[in-house]
Amino acid sequence: MFADKPQSLADPNEQQQRKAMLHTAPAIQELEEWREEFAKTRTEPVPHFDPADAGSAARVLFLLDSPGAATVTAEEPGFVSVDNPDQAAERCWTERNDAELHDGIVLWNTVPFFLDGAEPTPVQTIAGVKALKSVLGLLPRLEVVVLCGTFTKAQWAKHMGAFSKPTVIKAPSPGSRGMISKKNQEDFRQAVRRAKRLVG
């Protein structure tokens, strides 16, 4: 399910609908079961997978650095979603929409727990990498991984050599700092379009 406008999760009604979908969307159940168990091992909040995404049926993984502030509310974790009310999510939504890359997608983070703007420590990074390996094992149809940002690209190169099956596309971070230059904006656009060409 691809929303018809960016930042749709700014709407409380849409947030409630997504929360309800966490229990009903078949493709997200295995990933959410994993997330729930992983969250028990962390003191930091671990946002949910977006039940509007393709879940375990995903053919393309957009992998970012760590969850932004929009993924956490005062009451509970939110979603790792292209529909979040922040600049990175809006950039992802816009470029995916322009490329008509609407289906077969899941978003996740190299470090999947909320750091409140802090840089991950080495211990947190290793925990994130181990978690990512578990998530990749739950994506049997995965064909393409779009690595978004310097940190994510570095950790993939360092730790993920054994995952040779997906085609890896390197991209700048879609966040505000990553999109300052026109070159990075175009590089991100072309990365999304390449992903679309690969999966059709």
Side-chain angles (χ1 to χ4, degrees):
M1 183 181 78
F2 191 74
D4 61 1
K5 61 181 180 180
Q7 301 200 18
S8 60
L9 282 172
D11 182 348
N13 291 328
E14 183 64 27
Q15 294 176 25
Q16 291 303 315
Q17 182 179 353
R18 295 288 172 94
K19 289 177 184 177
M21 289 172 64
L22 284 172
H23 307 289
T24 60
I28 211 73
Q29 297 308 308
E30 189 173 12
L31 288 169
E32 272 297 300
E33 288 172 7
W34 172 86
R35 189 210 67 86
E36 184 175 353
E37 291 303 311
F38 176 72
K40 293 176 182 177
T41 72
R42 306 301 311 178
T43 58
E44 311 92 340
V46 180
H48 296 279
F49 290 89
D50 186 351
D53 278 347
S56 58
R59 298 171 66 197
V60 180
L61 167 65
F62 278 81
L63 189 64
L64 286 75
D65 291 347
S66 61
T71 64
V72 178
T73 68
E75 298 81 18
E76 59 186 331
F79 304 95
V80 180
S81 175
V82 72
D83 298 321
N84 277 333
D86 62 44
Q87 184 170 334
E90 181 167 355
R91 174 69 63 171
C92 289
W93 186 96
T94 299
E95 298 301 347
R96 279 181 53 189
N97 188 58
D98 289 350
E100 299 184 354
L101 184 57
H102 296 151
D103 302 313
I105 312 298
V106 67
L107 268 68
W108 198 237
N109 290 282
T110 301
V111 175
F113 37 86
F114 181 58
L115 300 175
D116 199 15
E119 294 293 324
T121 67
V123 171
Q124 289 172 326
T125 298
I126 291 300
V129 167
K130 288 181 178 178
L132 175 58
K133 290 178 179 179
S134 296
V135 170
L136 290 170
L138 299 175
L139 302 176
R141 301 183 187 178
L142 188 65
E143 299 175 33
V144 178
V145 179
V146 182
L147 305 177
C148 302
T150 301
F151 173 80
T152 287
K153 287 181 280 191
Q155 298 312 314
W156 186 278
K158 185 176 181 179
H159 299 287
M160 297 297 175
F163 289 90
S164 58
K165 180 184 175 183
T167 298
V168 172
I169 301 174
K170 297 178 181 179
S173 168
S176 56
R177 286 182 291 180
M179 291 291 102
I180 289 175
S181 76
K182 294 290 186 181
K183 181 181 184 304
N184 280 3
Q185 293 173 24
E186 181 61 23
D187 286 350
F188 188 79
R189 179 175 299 114
Q190 292 305 321
V192 177
R193 293 183 178 186
R194 185 183 173 202
K196 170 62 177 178
R197 289 195 300 271
L198 287 169
V199 298

